[in-house]
Every structure is written in C-alpha cells, then in structure tokens.
C-alpha cells in the first residue's frame, strides 16, 4: 500500500510531505508529520543567524519522534547573506536524512550533502527547472503549481498541467505540490505520475502548526478565492492571503513599481497573522487550497482522513475506470 519511490527513498509510510514553511513549520509540526508516517521540513532561515536555535529546534523534534526530520535550505535571494554553509554543516552533524532546497540552484551544496548521505529534494515552479535538478544529481524534484502557497513562479501554470509534464520530463522521483489538501488530491497526484504529494497550506491549519488560533479560524472561513498573487512584476511572485495590503501592492504593481518602493510597504508588516491573528495588514503566504480547509484537526487526524478518502476514491475509480485487461 502506498509504496512509491519516495516512500522508499525517504523511509516513510505514506507519500505525504509537509513542505518547509518559514516561521511556522517548527518542531511540533514536523515531528507530528513524522509520527503520522510522512516527512516534514523545518526552515533554516526561520532562525536567522541564531544557529543554536535551529539546532535546538531539530533536537526538540527528535525528542518528539523517532521518524525522519527534514530541513529546508532556502536559497532564495535575500537582502542579507544567508548562512547556507552552516545550514549544510548542521544538516550533516545532526544527521538530517533529507533536505528540501528551493529558490535558486542547489548546485553548490549537492556534493557535500551527498557525501554525507543526505537526500536532496529540490523544489521548482516549472518543468524546465526540473530537468536542471535532475542534471545536477538531486534525488527528487518537487514541482509546485500556480495555486500553491509560497512562491508559485513566473509562468502561472497550474499543478494539473505541470505534474504530468514533469513526470514525463525526468527520471528521478517527482513530488507534486500546489493545491493538494486531501485524499482526492493524493490519488490525483499519484495518477498524474507523481511519487508523493507535498502540502503546505493544509498543514498550516492543524493543531500542531505554529500560529495564532484566530489565523487558523480565518483559514477555515476563507474561500479558495481569498488569496492574491503578488510581486510578479518585480520577478519574485508570491501567493498570500488577500487583504488591504495586497490590494495596495497590486495597485502599485499595476501602475509600475520597483522592489525598492515595495520593500517598505511589505517589510513593515511582519507575521502578525501568526503572532496576533491579525489578517488585514500583513503579507502572509497561503495557497488556494485554503478553500478546502474546513477545520483544524491534529496532524494524525488529517493523515487518517487523507488515507481513508484516498482508499474510497480508489474504490470509486475501480467501478469507473476499467483495467487494461477488462477494456480489451
Ligand atoms: C506560510 C508558508 C510559508 C512557506 N515558506 C516556505 C519556505 O520558507 N521555503 C520553501 O521552500 N517553501 C515555502 N513554502 C511553500 C511550501 O513549502 C509548499 O511548497 C507549498 O505550500 C505547497 O503548496 P500548497 O500551499 O498549495 O500546499 C511556504 C508556504 C507557506 C504557505
């Protein structure tokens, strides 16, 4: 059951992955995902230059689970230089089995991680990047569509199109992300040719995810249309919860703006959604699958539901799609 190249490679029971989520993907969430049979990623940049805090969070997760703990190494261009070499060193020293990279080519860190036996899943928003990921020797590629939380990329192509194209384009295992939130999504991802599903938004609305209850309540009430795709005009698109601030950013982009003009506008609004539950004047990343979020379960409850629904879908499909033998 549910055996794929990814479950084998990452040593997990279910092909369900929780992508790294800056600020909120912490020990409790990642450990809960591991205990439920998947793998999740903490994000190195959450801890800024405080490398001891990152180490402590990894050890905290270890205390909460015997399952695999992943680390996201964020390679996105950043105003301040990021301690990428230190993240790699911590990964190796703390015996993290899988790293998720994103944002820029992971070329410089493939060799040291591989020499230490660490698997690398690089995340991309387009098929042409997936080919590069394979050429660089990464172990898996995660591809995220336009509907995703985080950075959907410039081309605005949805997962339904990207995942099968990616599965055709590369031989390494493919992980499908962007818009997946339940058992139907899991079966769909596998049907499209993926070896696992990657979710962020759905995991944000779980009990173990860091974040103010009012923010999670907002997610439950909000619809699939309550996100905005912003910052494309400055080459760094991101999908966030729609609010007065995103209206302002889109208006600035509409009349032509620069990253220098935008930074004070968005930089002045830190993660008040996660800390205080205020959603009107903040830039908070979330995907369109927020529309599929109807409650705030524990991670274990979410996994149970996904697996149960996936098996129901499979049964339903058995009555609709004939096997090759029956069709001929
Ligand atoms: C709040 C939030 C923060 C995120 N932070 C990161 C990050 O720091 N690094 C990264 O590679 N991806 C990040 N992502 C993207 C997720 O790892 C994942 O690719 C995405 O959420 C999948 O799409 P979905 O939201 O439709 O499930 C973030 C997503 C969200 C919602």
């Amino acid at each position: 059951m549910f055996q794929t190249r990814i479950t084998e490679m990452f040593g997990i029971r279910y092909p369900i992955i929780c992508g790294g989520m800056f600020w909120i993907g912490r020990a409790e969430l990642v450990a809960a995902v591991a205990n439920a049979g998947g793998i999740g990623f903490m994000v190195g940049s959450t801890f800024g230059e405080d490398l001891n805090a990152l180490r402590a969070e990894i050890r905290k997760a270890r205390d909460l689970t015997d399952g695999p703990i992943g680390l996201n190494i964020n390679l996105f261009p950043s105003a301040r230089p990021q301690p990428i070499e230190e993240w790699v060193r911590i990964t190796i020293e703390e015996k993290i089995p899988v790293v998720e990279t994103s944002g820029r080519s992971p070329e410089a860190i493939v060799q040291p991680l591989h020499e230490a036996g660490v698997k690398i899943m690089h995340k991309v928003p387009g098929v042409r990047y997936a080919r590069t990921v394979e050429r660089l020797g990464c172990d898996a590629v995660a591809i995220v569509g336009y509907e995703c939380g985080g950075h959907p990329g410039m081309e605005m192509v949805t997962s339904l199109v990207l995942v099968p194209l990616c599965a055709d384009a590369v031989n390494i295992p493919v992980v499908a992300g962007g818009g997946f939130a339940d058992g139907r999504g899991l079966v769909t991802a596998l049907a499209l040719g993926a070896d696992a599903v990657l979710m962020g938004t759905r995991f944000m609305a779980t009990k173990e995810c860091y974040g103010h209850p009012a923010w999670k309540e907002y997610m439950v009430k909000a619809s699939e249309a309550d996100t905005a795709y912003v910052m494309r005009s400055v080459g760094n698109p991101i999908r966030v919860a729609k609010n007065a601030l995103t209206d302002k950013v889109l208006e600035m982009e509409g009349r032509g703006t620069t990253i220098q003009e935008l930074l004070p506008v968005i930089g002045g609004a830190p993660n008040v959604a996660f800390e205080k539950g205020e959603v009107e004047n903040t830039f908070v990343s979330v995907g369109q699958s927020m529309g599929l979020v109807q409650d705030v379960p524990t991670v274990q409850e979410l996994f149970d539901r996904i697996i149960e629904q996936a098996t129901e879908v499979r049964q339903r499909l058995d009555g609709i799609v004939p096997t090759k033998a029956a069709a001929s």
Side-chain angles (χ1 to χ4, degrees), residues 138-186:
C138 292
D139 303 279
V141 61
I143 187 146
V144 288
Y146 179 56
E147 38 309 57
C148 76
H151 293 274
M154 295 289 283
E155 285 154 8
M156 302 192 287
V157 183
T158 63
S159 307
L160 199 57
V161 173
L162 286 181
V163 176
L165 283 174
C166 187
D168 286 345
V170 298
N171 293 312
I172 53 175
V174 172
V175 174
F180 299 97
D182 58 20
R184 293 168 294 189
L186 172 59

Side-chain angles (χ1 to χ4, degrees), residues 19-22 72 74 102 123 148-149 178-179 198-201 204 285:
M21 290 189 284
F22 178 73
N72 175 294
N74 219 328
S102 58
K123 190 161 60 187
C148 76
L198 177 136
M199 310 189 303
T201 298
M204 290 173 92
S285 202

